[in-house]
Amino acid sequence: MQDLEIYIRDLEPNQVSQWLEANVDNLALDDTDVTSVIKGKASYEGASLRITLYPGAFGKRFTSLVLEGEALPWGSDLDCARSAWRAMDTEIRCSPGDWKEGEPVEDEKWWRLDRRGEHKVVWN
């Protein structure tokens, strides 16, 4: 099982489903109300894909999106974030990919994608 995780700032209803519809098959995701946890599913290259939205991640303005499956439409969190940013035109953040579970995150730099470009930033 692989996973991708990105953080979407000020998520609007239906943004995730509209974006994913162009990238996965058989999408079943009701994101008309993005104020509570949402679970959905889809398929990609014939494999099942689990989709979960967690509002209120890193403060109230970000929603965490987690995609889990044997096959994923993007090879990294950053590739996923780039695709989401192009589709949603709102700030997207993701891990740089070198952090491992259990490591301290105090000085962790995150990718921030927005109209200013792609930059590594401290989350605060």
Side-chain angles (χ1 to χ4, degrees), residues 45-99:
E45 294 183 346
S48 294
L49 188 62
R50 288 192 317 229
I51 304 159
T52 311
L53 291 165
Y54 299 98
F58 285 98
K60 297 191 180 342
R61 298 195 71 178
F62 284 88
T63 298
S64 168
L65 167 64
V66 179
L67 303 171
E68 299 170 291
E70 295 303 322
L72 299 169
W74 300 280
S76 69
D77 290 348
L78 183 56
D79 289 341
C80 181
R82 286 174 175 146
S83 176
W85 184 82
R86 283 190 298 271
M88 296 183 215
D89 194 26
T90 188
E91 182 179 324
I92 308 288
R93 293 188 182 190
C94 70
S95 167
D98 49 9
W99 178 81

Side-chain angles (χ1 to χ4, degrees), residues 82-118:
R82 286 174 175 146
S83 176
W85 184 82
R86 283 190 298 271
M88 296 183 215
D89 194 26
T90 188
E91 182 179 324
I92 308 288
R93 293 188 182 190
C94 70
S95 167
D98 49 9
W99 178 81
K100 302 285 185 258
E101 194 73 40
E103 289 182 355
V105 294
E106 294 84 27
D107 299 323
E108 174 74 12
K109 296 269 187 170
W110 297 80
W111 280 109
R112 180 187 68 206
L113 289 72
D114 61 17
R115 291 178 183 214
R116 296 168 286 188
E118 294 181 18

Side-chain angles (χ1 to χ4, degrees), residues 9-66:
R9 185 177 178 141
D10 299 329
L11 181 65
E12 296 290 329
N14 301 312
Q15 279 187 308
V16 171
S17 57
Q18 289 173 359
W19 163 58
L20 285 178
E21 206 143 74
N23 296 286
V24 299
D25 300 313
N26 307 311
L27 180 65
L29 179 70
D30 181 0
D31 60 341
T32 54
D33 175 9
V34 292
T35 60
S36 60
V37 173
I38 299 167
K39 293 189 178 283
K41 60 185 179 176
S43 60
Y44 182 73
E45 294 183 346
S48 294
L49 188 62
R50 288 192 317 229
I51 304 159
T52 311
L53 291 165
Y54 299 98
F58 285 98
K60 297 191 180 342
R61 298 195 71 178
F62 284 88
T63 298
S64 168
L65 167 64
V66 179

